[in-house]
Amino acid sequence: MSLASDAQLVAAARRGSDLAFEQLARRHSPALRSFLRGVCRNHAWADDVAQNTLIRAWQRLDQLKDPSAFKSWLFGTGWRLVAEDRRAAGRRAKREQDWSDTQAQMSPEGISPDETMALEAAMQALTADQRAAISLCLAGGWSHGEAAQALDMPTGTIKSHIKRGRAKLLAVLGERK
Amino acid sequence: MTMDDKLQAFLAKDRVPSSDPAFMARLDESMARIRLWSQMRASAAFAIAIAAVAFGLYRAVGPQAFTWLNDFTLAMTGTPGLALAAIIVAAALYLPRLLQGRLKV
């Protein structure tokens, strides 16, 4: 497996190497999909957006100013695509219904189905910005600065979204104790 | 299990495995489709331009000027070795373009 840096792979992909772009996609798509699943709250929709994000990144690779910042640029592209996709409200509503129908059957170990459903409802009640910040920093382990760069928000706003969102999610668990 | 642990377990539910061949295959397919369409559009534009130029030339200089093409075609069909050489030269010119995206990393 190649250990080429993102910047080297971006340079090779810009010269027309599909293999280089494939390596970039393999490297970053799991984290990208996890982030989008956290934001969209629907795995099928999130994976569709992830596909579109990678295709758009491939087509617009020349617009990336700093090749070493490929990861945050990719996540920022995904974040903007989610916002664009939100306009297709009817399609999303159908998917969300399908998704919520399967939620009770997918409880992680150590959490009851009731708690999972309550957390899912609380997560969906958060704003998209709060979900994005939580998905990147609490679930993905990103620093506040990295998340701020990818989501194009001030670092203070990211911190505030995480604090408020986390409090709402924990409150749900506290109520059920 | 603390509330924080539960929250982390809930958030980990969205985590995607590090390898997903089906997802990557779908991506490869989409990229190949886009590339094919783009090549077809470019080829079509090129073919239309060539046809327009050829038609313009034909109208301008008349059919006599194209007798060399007829002679060349006859020579090619009458000499299999020459035709084979032409195919090899054409392949040698075209293959690097065809393999460009596959060989470089």
Side-chain angles (χ1 to χ4, degrees):
Chain A
M1 200 70 179
S2 169
L3 293 172
S5 69
D6 280 3
Q8 289 170 322
L9 291 173
V10 166
R14 278 175 170 169
R15 290 195 301 269
S17 168
D18 284 350
L19 273 182
F21 187 80
E22 200 179 307
Q23 280 193 46
L24 282 168
R26 270 184 210 287
R27 184 177 290 175
H28 296 297
S29 63
L32 174 70
R33 290 168 68 198
S34 301
F35 162 63
L36 291 172
R37 286 179 176 195
V39 175
C40 299
R41 308 312 307 151
N42 176 305
H43 290 186
W45 178 30
D47 282 358
D48 282 351
V49 177
Q51 287 276 342
N52 293 338
T53 302
L54 289 163
I55 290 292
R56 186 174 284 197
W58 175 59
Q59 290 175 317
R60 298 184 181 181
L61 210 51
D62 285 339
Q63 293 176 12
L64 172 61
K65 286 173 188 160
D66 176 9
S68 62
F70 175 79
K71 187 180 178 184
S72 62
W73 177 72
L74 181 72
F75 278 62
T77 303
W79 171 236
R80 282 189 297 278
L81 279 182
V82 170
E84 284 174 23
D85 214 20
R86 251 172 230 291
R87 289 170 200 139
R91 191 178 46 175
R92 194 179 73 246
K94 164 86 173 75
R95 284 172 172 169
E96 279 174 358
Q97 184 57 49
D98 295 345
W99 173 240
S100 60
D101 288 349
T102 61
Q103 278 306 287
Q105 302 159 14
M106 297 175 64
S107 285
E109 203 175 328
I111 312 181
S112 68
D114 278 359
E115 286 173 326
T116 304
M117 285 175 74
L119 277 170
E120 186 55 46
M123 194 74 170
Q124 288 191 21
L126 298 181
T127 65
D129 289 0
Q130 287 173 337
R131 281 201 301 269
I134 283 176
S135 296
L136 282 182
C137 297
L138 287 191
W142 286 43
S143 71
H144 294 153
E146 288 173 327
Q149 191 184 355
L151 302 179
D152 198 20
M153 292 177 197
T155 309
T157 308
I158 295 287
K159 286 181 186 171
S160 158
H161 283 328
I162 292 170
K163 191 178 170 188
R164 285 181 192 164
R166 183 172 172 277
K168 283 178 188 168
L169 294 173
L170 288 177
V172 168
L173 289 173
E175 282 167 11
R176 314 187 77 79
K177 233 182 155 185
Chain B
M1 204 174 193
T2 66
M3 288 201 295
D4 261 323
D5 290 339
K6 285 184 178 181
L7 179 57
Q8 280 303 325
F10 172 76
L11 293 174
K13 196 163 58 81
D14 293 327
R15 210 164 283 159
V16 172
S18 59
S19 171
D20 186 345
F23 181 85
M24 289 307 297
R26 215 177 117 199
L27 179 66
D28 284 346
E29 193 187 314
S30 301
M31 285 171 65
R33 198 181 314 119
I34 290 167
R35 196 179 280 289
L36 177 69
W37 274 111
S38 149
Q39 282 172 348
M40 280 175 67
R41 276 198 302 271
S43 301
F46 185 69
I48 289 168
I50 291 289
V53 169
F55 183 72
L57 278 173
Y58 182 82
R59 293 298 298 264
V61 297
Q64 302 90 333
F66 289 88
T67 51
W68 65 270
L69 188 61
N70 194 29
D71 296 344
F72 177 75
T73 310
L74 283 173
M76 277 294 193
T77 49
T79 322
L82 196 59
L84 185 64
I87 289 170
I88 290 169
V89 168
L93 288 173
Y94 188 67
L95 266 180
R97 281 185 58 194
L98 196 72
L99 298 175
Q100 195 177 24
R102 299 277 161 203
L103 295 178
K104 276 191 294 180
V105 175

